[in-house]
Amino acid sequence: MVVSKDHPRYRSLVIRELLAELNKAGLVSTTGLIAHGRGEAFDYLLGETTNPNALEAESVAVAYMLEAKNPLISVNGNVAALCPREIVSLSEIIPAKIEVNLFHRTDERMERVCAHMEAMGAKRVLGRNPDAKLNGIASDRSLCTREGILMADVVLVPLEDGDRAEALLHAGKIVLAIDLNPLSRTSKAATVTIVDEVTRAIPNMIDSVDELKTDLSKRRSLISTFDNKANLKKSVQMICKRLQKD
Ligand code: ATP
Ligand code: MG
């Protein structure tokens, strides 16, 4: 389908087309499409723009990644479809490992998502050959690698389910979530929640790496003054305000 650039929802329509195409190709799961719809609804309510509190959380998340011994970015089908090159760039400049973890895991789909990330520039993608398990999750999402998720101290989880976010926290990890729903279990559980659309959030994070890399005191002060609960509250208030205004 050709989407006209004049359409007011141009960006959203282009992303939908991309996800539908990659669903046909077996990269994005059908439930991944539904999860994206939930994200879109919240983005609509938030004004489809990066809010100041999201920008703050993005800097804090980068500060945590730069302070980490073993930072890792966990990638699922939607993330691989939406912003693979940006994930690769962020993983290179931090630097952080990349591990693929799928809710609907089959060897075939795992291979597709890993190969897609490699085709988009990732030099090393973990996850194909799991040799460890994350406690506290019943599904195959518990499968992980020793070298990657098991050893990681800081994990960025864009678009994560609440169960897995909680299991990562129970394993003692700092969890950085990107989730447009400020009310989700993931958002409430995470150490830092970025309430922003993933294709805006990752480029914003990349933009803040340079400055934070050389400024240790700024990193530490960002981390020590951040209050996730208060930050989430600001997103909820923003939604309420927009609903009342219109
Ligand atoms: P939880 O299990 O944490 O309570 P949930 O069940 O509502 O969350 P899941 O399907 O488990 O949702 O996870 C997907 C989450 O990702 C949703 O909260 C959704 O708002 C968010 N999301 C979907 N697409 C995007 C996107 N493009 N950018 C940011 N967040 C998104
Ligand atoms: Mg869920």
Side-chain angles (χ1 to χ4, degrees):
M1 189 183 97
V2 180
V3 183
S4 159
K5 281 201 169 170
D6 304 332
H7 195 289
R9 312 230 72 75
Y10 174 76
R11 201 177 129 75
S12 153
L13 292 177
V14 168
I15 290 180
R16 284 184 185 183
E17 283 295 314
L18 171 76
L19 289 176
E21 222 170 81
L22 293 177
N23 171 248
K24 268 191 218 136
L27 199 92
V28 173
S29 71
T30 306
T31 52
L33 299 179
I34 299 168
H36 183 77
R38 178 172 294 165
E40 269 198 340
F42 278 98
D43 206 21
Y44 201 107
L45 296 173
L46 284 157
E48 293 171 307
T49 179
T50 300
N51 293 298
N53 50 308
L55 204 58
E56 183 197 352
E58 281 152 5
S59 298
V60 177
V62 168
Y64 268 112
M65 291 183 92
L66 289 168
E67 288 286 303
K69 279 201 187 78
N70 283 304
L72 182 134
I73 307 174
S74 179
V75 169
N76 62 21
N78 282 34
V79 175
L82 290 169
C83 50
R85 288 195 176 86
E86 294 80 0
I87 292 284
V88 172
S89 300
L90 183 65
S91 80
E92 283 174 355
I93 54 177
I94 291 285
K97 289 173 184 159
I98 294 176
E99 180 159 331
V100 172
N101 182 275
L102 303 178
F103 198 114
H104 299 284
R105 183 188 176 114
T106 61
D107 286 346
E108 215 186 3
R109 200 168 153 243
M110 198 70 194
E111 179 51 38
R112 266 192 208 124
V113 178
C114 290
H116 182 71
M117 291 305 296
E118 285 160 354
M120 296 294 153
K123 291 192 187 70
R124 189 133 186 274
V125 179
L126 299 166
R128 280 182 178 100
N129 302 303
D131 57 359
K133 270 195 172 191
L134 184 70
N135 288 331
I137 329 176
S139 72
D140 280 350
R141 280 171 310 153
S142 66
L143 297 174
C144 64
T145 71
R146 207 170 285 277
E147 185 195 344
I149 282 163
L150 205 73
M151 259 181 58
D153 52 349
V154 173
V155 185
L156 175 66
V157 283
L159 285 53
E160 188 53 80
D161 177 56
D163 286 359
R164 185 159 174 262
E166 281 164 9
L168 288 165
L169 280 157
H170 285 144
K173 300 173 196 311
I174 301 276
V175 175
L176 314 172
I178 302 176
D179 192 330
L180 278 160
N181 177 3
L183 304 168
S184 74
R185 286 178 308 157
T186 299
S187 288
K188 287 182 177 159
T191 318
V192 178
T193 307
I194 297 166
V195 182
D196 201 1
E197 212 279 324
V198 69
T199 64
R200 293 194 302 266
I202 303 287
N204 288 341
M205 290 175 77
I206 291 171
D207 285 347
S208 68
V209 171
D210 259 3
E211 188 200 346
L212 291 177
K213 215 170 202 176
T214 53
D215 194 341
L216 183 133
S217 71
K218 175 119 193 244
R219 287 204 300 268
R220 302 260 161 101
S221 100
L222 276 168
I223 290 173
S224 65
T225 56
F226 185 73
D227 178 341
N228 202 47
K229 222 173 166 183
N231 193 279
L232 281 173
K233 204 170 167 187
K234 285 185 203 157
S235 292
V236 175
Q237 282 166 344
M238 196 156 284
I239 290 173
C240 293
K241 235 178 163 172
R242 280 181 57 83
L243 283 170
Q244 280 167 348
K245 206 173 96 193
D246 294 342

